[in-house]
Structure formats: structure tokens, C-alpha cells
Amino acid sequence: MPDTLNAERPAIRPESRAMIERLIAFDTTSRNSNLDLIHYVRDYLADLGVTATLVHDPGGGKANLYATLGPQDRGGIALSGHTDVVPIDDQDWTRDPWQVSESGGRLYGRGTCDMKSFVAVALAHAPRFLSGELETPIHLCLSYDEEVGCRGVPGLLAHLAEQPVRPRLCIVGEPTDMKVVTAHKGKLSMACHVRGKEAHSSLAPHGVNAIQAAARVIGLLTDMAAEKTANGPFDSDYDVPHTTIHTGLIEGGTQLNIVPGHCRFEFEFRYLPEDSPDALLARVKAYAEQEIAPAMQAIDPASGFTWEPLSSFPGLDLAPEAEVVDLAKALTGSNATGKVAFGTEAGLFDDSGIPAVVCGPGSIDQAHKPDEFVTLEQIALCERFMDRLEERVRPGGLAHG
């Protein structure tokens, strides 16, 4: 009997498949160095006659990569992706996460969806871009530590700001089912450290309970989240149409019969453009410092709250008529655009003066999960996207600048 299922599956190019397999094999979990992958890409591009620039982190253990295909003297189109992936710890994988496996028209592996497949297809297409004259350059931007708060790409953007020429437009290939995304929420995440005073639990009034103080602040955050759910502002184009406020981690105390002298918790705001993260945070701090801290410090003046920024990135909100939006729609062959609740590096590119959209293979529903996958159909759509881009950057194309 013929394998009709396999017959219906789209074929992807061998070079795309091989590059996806190569990139997945690098364990670039954010806690690890990404230099093995970055050096592989640098050497791969060098074999094509392209010189890549590495922008390292302060410790030298990680790096962004920037390379230009084509003319060096004019702005062009950046294809951007992060090289790090989230951990597989405590996830119930049924296959090797660092080796691509295929089943049912899907490629499985950590990073296949988020977001090494886009990077791989762009890299695999590099020889095609270079096979003829380019009137508009293609810039490759690879970053580190996106998954832990977009910590790597600011260094790359600072480097670009010092250059005489930098990209004119940017496409960030996060998983959007190859749909053009023109807006996403911003994010601010914080840690709050609560210092109390330890005491025997039988003498609880003589101590300062750091966990209970933290719980009161978390209660306010919960109330603020409910306010946003009920009152907005709202934008129905998002799957979650309002700002969200979330507490995701708490730790503190020693044991039950000791009044806890310390507590730490982490929280975040994922906000619409109409909301100010600074104003939201100011409300939380004011409540802690004015409503809770005085009673704590009446018992122990050293007790109280300290605040630690963890990460932040701006939202993205492009005008429908923006040049990069028109370009991305032409490359996908669709006039539809959308908005997403998850954050990307596109907001940072846009804030730096390089307008950016988000468009890449795979569904965010598969990201960060065990048995992460991308479909062959999505890879094939990404390949066609690159084909159309190649046509537009040739002499006579419409992506000049």
C-alpha cells in the first residue's frame, strides 16, 4: 500500500534539513555558552566568503553574531534570531531533544520551533543569496540569552549603532506560523527581597515575618491583575486582550517554628502600549514601603523591601503602513497581520531605529514544551519566504535602500 501520508507531506530542501539538525545538536540552553554554535556559523559563513563579527558578553562566554551578505555600503534587510533555548529539565521527553527526529510530518527537538529552524533556513539559503548579484544586502543577526530576558541583543544593537551602515529593516523569525506579527506586549520582570527578623514562632510578635509581608504584596499584585482583567485597557487583537500581572516564584523561611527572616519572590508585567510598566511598579513599591514597611521597621529598623530588576523589553506596535510590514506581507503572500502576547527582540530593534516585524515557522503553542516540534509544512513555507526575499534583493527587485 502506498504511503499516502508521506506523499502529501511537503518536501523540504536537504540543506535546510541538514542545517536544522546541526543547530539542534548544540545544547545552547541559556545557562550554557552558545560559542560552539556561533563559531560553527562563523566558519560556515567564512567558507562562503562572508566575514562575521562576534559581539561577546562581558565574560566572553557567549556572543552575538552579525554578518552581511552582499553590499557593505548600504542598509538592507536583517534576518534575526536567538540561538539559546529553554531547559529540558523535569520535562517528559519521549525522544532525544538534541537530535532531530521526524514523525508524522514533524521535526522534533529542542529549538525546532523556538527558534532554530528559522535561523537554519536563513543560513541554508545563504549560498542562494550569494549565487548572484545582490542590490540590497541581507544581514544575519544571531543573539544569545533571549530566553532569559533579551539580555544579549542590546550589545549587538549597540555595536550596530556605532557602524556607518546598519540594517534598514528587520524580520525576527520567532514562531508565528509564518504569519506577519506587527505588535506584541512589553515586559518588565522584578524580584522583591523582603528582610524580616527571625524569632521563635512561640514569640512571633517579637519577630518580623518576611513571608507574610511578601504575601501582602503578592495579594496586591493579584488584585491588580484582576483589575486589568475586568477593566482593561483592552485590545481584542491579542489572544489575551489586556495587560497581565503574574507572580511566578517565591522562596523563603527556614522551618515552621522559626519566624522567617527572609523571603524573595519574582513577578512580571506583560503590558499593552496603553499601560505604563513604571506606573504599575510604582504602585506596588508605594504599597510595600508606605503600608507594610512602617510596622515591620517599628520592630526592627533593618527590615523592609529591596527591589531587583530582572529583565525588560519594550513592546512592539507598528503602523499598518510601515515599510517592513508591506515587505513581510509580500514575502508571505498574505495581507493578514496579527498581534501576540509573547515578547520578542523585535521591540528592541524597533526602539533602536530599525523597524522590525515578527514572522517565522512553527507555532508558539509548541515552544518550551517536551517533544517540541515544527512541521515540515512550516519549514517549506519559510523556504518560499526566503525565495521571495531573494527575488526582491536582486537588481530590479523592490527591497532597495
Side-chain angles (χ1 to χ4, degrees):
M1 179 179 295
D3 186 350
T4 56
L5 287 177
N6 278 327
E8 294 173 357
R9 290 174 193 155
I12 65 173
R13 293 170 183 157
E15 58 267 34
S16 296
R17 172 67 178 259
M19 186 62 73
I20 293 170
E21 291 178 349
R22 190 70 187 91
L23 297 188
I24 297 303
F26 293 104
D27 178 359
T28 52
T29 305
S30 302
R31 62 184 172 227
N32 300 334
S33 171
N34 73 335
L35 288 183
D36 286 346
L37 183 152
I38 289 293
H39 291 165
Y40 168 77
V41 174
R42 178 197 60 192
D43 295 344
Y44 166 79
L45 293 173
D47 288 342
L48 298 175
V50 176
T51 300
T53 298
L54 305 191
V55 181
H56 288 84
D57 72 336
K62 300 181 181 183
N64 303 294
L65 179 146
Y66 180 71
T68 298
L69 314 182
Q72 306 284 317
D73 61 348
R74 66 197 72 172
I77 300 163
L79 302 176
S80 178
H82 62 81
T83 61
D84 61 317
V85 296
V86 297
I88 62 169
D89 304 19
D90 301 320
Q91 291 190 334
D92 188 19
W93 283 76
T94 64
R95 58 197 78 219
D96 185 346
W98 311 115
Q99 179 175 334
V100 172
S101 58
E102 180 179 344
S103 177
R106 300 170 174 177
L107 298 182
Y108 290 87
R110 173 56 89 217
T112 50
C113 171
D114 186 13
M115 58 173 294
K116 288 181 177 178
S117 288
F118 175 83
V119 174
V121 173
L123 290 171
H125 205 95
R128 295 172 182 262
F129 285 128
L130 295 167
S131 64
E133 182 183 355
L134 291 177
E135 187 160 350
T136 301
I138 297 294
H139 308 281
L140 300 175
C141 299
L142 306 186
S143 67
Y144 65 88
D145 280 3
E146 188 273 349
E147 294 288 8
V148 289
C150 296
R151 296 177 182 175
V153 78
L156 175 58
L157 294 174
H159 170 77
L160 293 180
E162 298 173 350
Q163 305 309 305
V165 177
R166 62 179 188 159
R168 190 177 83 250
L169 308 172
C170 180
I171 297 164
V172 177
E174 291 277 9
T176 66
D177 292 306
M178 290 307 299
K179 297 175 182 177
V180 180
V181 166
T182 61
H184 65 66
K185 295 180 180 179
K187 177 184 174 182
L188 172 64
S189 62
M190 299 287 298
C192 177
H193 300 258
V194 186
R195 180 176 179 181
K197 180 182 179 181
E198 291 187 341
H200 193 284
S201 61
S202 66
L203 301 173
H206 299 303
V208 177
N209 191 312
I211 290 178
Q212 290 179 350
R216 291 181 63 187
V217 180
I218 293 170
L220 173 66
L221 290 165
T222 304
D223 291 344
M224 291 171 63
E227 290 172 10
K228 292 300 177 185
T229 301
N231 303 321
F234 299 105
D235 186 336
S236 60
D237 290 337
Y238 287 94
D239 50 0
V240 179
H242 51 80
T243 294
T244 59
I245 302 170
H246 160 74
T247 303
L249 177 69
I250 185 169
E251 52 191 3
T254 304
Q255 62 185 43
L256 181 59
N257 63 354
I258 301 175
V259 174
H262 65 90
C263 185
R264 180 184 183 276
F265 63 95
E266 296 180 4
F267 62 98
E268 68 173 25
F269 307 108
R270 291 184 181 263
Y271 56 91
L272 295 178
E274 297 89 336
D275 272 324
S276 164
D278 293 336
L280 294 170
L281 180 59
R283 179 179 171 186
V284 176
K285 286 184 174 182
Y287 176 74
E289 302 294 349
Q290 298 172 17
E291 301 296 326
I292 304 174
M296 297 168 64
Q297 292 167 355
I299 297 172
D300 182 359
S303 63
F305 300 86
T306 56
W307 309 87
E308 174 192 357
L310 296 177
S311 66
S312 66
F313 53 76
L316 177 70
D317 192 17
L318 289 172
E321 65 276 10
E323 179 188 10
V324 71
V325 177
D326 287 341
L327 173 64
K329 290 193 294 186
L331 299 181
T332 61
S334 171
N335 285 322
T337 61
K339 301 178 181 181
V340 294
F342 63 87
T344 78
E345 295 172 336
L348 289 161
F349 275 95
D350 194 59
D351 262 19
S352 76
I354 304 174
V357 295
V358 188
C359 184
S363 168
I364 196 64
D365 290 342
Q366 306 307 323
H368 299 189
K369 294 182 178 179
D371 291 344
E372 177 183 346
F373 68 83
V374 66
T375 65
L376 296 176
E377 179 183 16
Q378 286 288 302
I379 299 300
L381 288 172
C382 190
E383 290 174 335
R384 289 202 285 275
F385 181 97
M386 296 296 172
D387 290 341
R388 294 185 181 114
L389 177 58
E390 181 185 345
E391 292 172 2
R392 296 179 73 88
V393 297
R394 298 287 184 213
L398 301 177
H400 305 168

